[in-house]
Amino acid sequence: MDSIYLEYKSKKGDIVTYGSMIENKQSIIEKGQIKSNITKIQFVMSQETTDVDSSGISTVDVTIKSGVVISGEQSVPLPNTGQKITMKMKKNGEIIYTSVPVDFSQPSFPEGAKKKKDIWTSISKINIKGKSEPLELNYRYILWDISKYKGMDSAEIKVSCPETSSEIQEGVNQKISATGSTLFDYVRGRLIKSEVETNTTVEVPQNDLVVKTRVSVKLELIKN
């Protein structure tokens, strides 16, 4: 296949289930002393399409079915198990409404047919406490390959965000970068798998303090 369209094709009544792992590794370096900790969140969530209007906008209920939070040797149930979030999403993946406020915007797919090695860019906005304007991150995407994955027609998309620096408050500097990949079933129009790692460094020179955070987010379709 020479070219494909990247768009969601949800139908009313569709239910898909994903498994996810979020790993947060943080290192605090203060006056030469290092403290590190790792927290993992594992959960299963379902996405049910409850409506699709004439323009292709889908209403989707996302429910956390089960989950645990792991810190060191301790494991506790995820506190928001059973919570339902309602979203409205365009066919290109742009989320235009959520019943629960979120601090970021999700990059969307480009319009038109795409072929292998096509490149596009998208801006993701992150709200930062104490700043009136959100931080804009420029993501770069490459349609790396078109193949099969577990019997599904898969578009492999590589994603990267070059290091972006900003002063989040006076005397506090932040750097953010990200890399990852996505597998998308372009025939049935649904996400198969996603892995993204985001690295953040916050520096407070006057306090001789550096906080480094690496967040790895993995998501994979487990039932459709």
Side-chain angles (χ1 to χ4, degrees):
M1 181 174 289
D2 293 331
S3 62
I4 59 172
Y5 288 86
L6 297 169
E7 61 181 25
Y8 288 85
K9 300 175 183 177
S10 301
K11 300 187 298 294
K12 184 177 180 179
D14 282 354
I15 300 176
V16 292
T17 304
Y18 291 94
S20 183
M21 161 75 87
I22 301 173
E23 182 180 271
N24 186 317
K25 182 177 182 180
Q26 187 176 76
S27 297
I28 300 173
I29 307 165
E30 188 171 13
K31 297 177 181 178
Q33 301 296 312
I34 301 176
K35 294 180 181 179
S36 299
N37 66 78
I38 298 176
T39 302
K40 297 179 182 180
I41 301 173
Q42 295 177 320
F43 62 93
V44 174
M45 68 176 178
S46 69
Q47 297 183 357
E48 180 179 2
T49 302
T50 59
D51 188 47
V52 181
D53 70 15
S54 58
S55 63
I57 294 175
S58 303
T59 301
V60 181
D61 285 344
V62 180
T63 305
I64 305 298
K65 294 294 189 181
S66 63
V68 294
V69 180
I70 303 166
S71 181
E73 296 181 356
Q74 293 186 328
S75 177
V76 297
L78 189 65
N80 56 345
T81 298
Q83 180 184 13
K84 182 174 73 174
I85 300 172
T86 299
M87 304 187 306
K88 290 186 181 292
M89 184 177 71
K90 293 182 178 180
K91 289 191 292 184
N92 66 355
E94 180 186 352
I95 295 172
I96 58 175
Y97 166 82
T98 61
S99 60
V100 176
V102 294
D103 292 329
F104 63 92
S105 62
Q106 173 179 293
S108 55
F109 288 136
E111 294 183 358
K114 295 296 172 185
K115 60 183 184 297
K116 283 173 62 172
K117 302 305 184 284
D118 274 357
I119 297 171
W120 65 93
T121 59
S122 182
I123 294 175
S124 178
K125 296 181 180 181
I126 299 176
N127 293 321
I128 297 176
K129 188 177 181 180
K131 298 200 73 172
S132 57
E133 295 296 322
L135 175 65
E136 293 190 348
L137 301 177
N138 295 292
Y139 281 83
R140 180 177 184 265
Y141 300 86
I142 303 174
L143 179 51
W144 191 255
D145 198 9
I146 300 171
S147 60
K148 290 280 188 179
Y149 179 80
K150 294 184 178 180
M152 292 175 278
D153 297 284
S154 171
E156 181 183 2
I157 302 163
K158 291 189 179 293
V159 56
S160 62
C161 173
E163 188 172 86
T164 303
S165 301
S166 65
E167 187 179 50
I168 55 177
Q169 62 186 66
E170 187 176 354
V172 181
N173 304 308
Q174 178 179 258
K175 298 176 183 177
I176 299 179
S177 63
T179 58
S181 64
T182 294
L183 298 181
F184 186 78
D185 185 335
Y186 58 89
V187 172
R188 290 190 292 176
R190 61 185 54 172
L191 181 68
I192 301 172
K193 187 177 182 180
S194 175
E195 295 185 7
V196 178
E197 183 176 290
T198 303
N199 288 281
T200 304
T201 301
V202 176
E203 299 175 333
V204 189
Q206 62 267 39
N207 295 342
D208 194 14
L209 173 67
V210 178
V211 180
K212 295 185 176 182
T213 307
R214 185 187 70 199
V215 179
S216 173
V217 180
K218 298 179 180 180
L219 184 75
E220 184 161 7
L221 182 68
I222 57 177
K223 186 178 180 182
N224 58 50

